[in-house]
Amino acid sequence: YEHLRDTSKTINYLPQTENYQNFIYTPASGVIARTLTCILVNPIEITKVRMQANSSGNSFVNEIRNLLKERSKGKVRFTSGLKYSIFRDAPFSAIYWMLNELIRQRISRMSDKTNNISQTNLGLQGSYLPFLKKSIAESPFWKSFFAGAIAGSIASFLTTPFDVVKT
């Protein structure tokens, strides 16, 4: 994801505005990255599910060999369920990465604003903001943690119907 996102920032023939980056390139990078991940992981998932369902005690390699034998007979495909995985994961990834980046930017901007706020009104204005600045906005861990938690919650809520279709 990050490679695709960073590459989109350096391509000269793409418009390089903040709105394009936030609402087009970031979600598109997430969709592309997650789709490729689904394509690569799906055969492993199929093998894992078959191993869990069958109590034959086959090893992973033997189960793949059996799948390939069955595939030649036209029974099982390594791509079964792939489109439902993509329908579930791609929208989640687009929403998640877009919100994650926007929230992280917002936290950084809040931190910048707290550096310029003077203590007025008996010290009440912005009294919690120095704590926010030190613990969240300047810490990559906390910024990523809170942005990821919020973005993940919203993206999960919005894409739950797709997850129901997959299962």
Side-chain angles (χ1 to χ4, degrees), residues 58-124:
N58 283 343
S59 69
F60 188 77
V61 174
N62 287 337
E63 195 62 42
I64 288 178
R65 285 183 187 139
N66 290 340
L67 272 168
L68 290 172
K69 287 177 190 175
E70 291 178 16
R71 182 176 176 217
S72 65
K73 296 176 186 175
K75 290 185 181 178
V76 176
R77 300 178 316 191
F78 277 114
T79 58
S80 65
L82 178 62
K83 72 178 177 180
Y84 299 112
S85 293
I86 293 172
F87 286 155
R88 176 193 63 192
D89 291 355
F92 173 87
S93 190
I95 295 166
Y96 172 80
W97 285 114
M98 180 183 66
L99 291 175
N100 188 335
E101 295 291 336
L102 290 171
I103 292 167
R104 287 172 54 193
Q105 289 172 11
R106 180 72 172 165
I107 291 172
S108 293
R109 287 183 187 138
M110 284 174 48
S111 168
D112 293 343
K113 287 180 183 178
T114 60
N115 291 335
N116 299 327
I117 293 177
S118 62
Q119 293 287 331
T120 59
N121 202 10
L122 300 176
L124 298 175

Side-chain angles (χ1 to χ4, degrees), residues 104 106-112 114 129-144 146:
R104 287 172 54 193
R106 180 72 172 165
I107 291 172
S108 293
R109 287 183 187 138
M110 284 174 48
S111 168
D112 293 343
T114 60
L129 294 176
F131 169 75
L132 177 68
K133 174 185 162 249
K134 290 178 184 173
S135 67
I136 296 173
E138 289 184 353
S139 168
F141 171 77
W142 287 112
K143 188 189 310 184
S144 295
F146 284 113

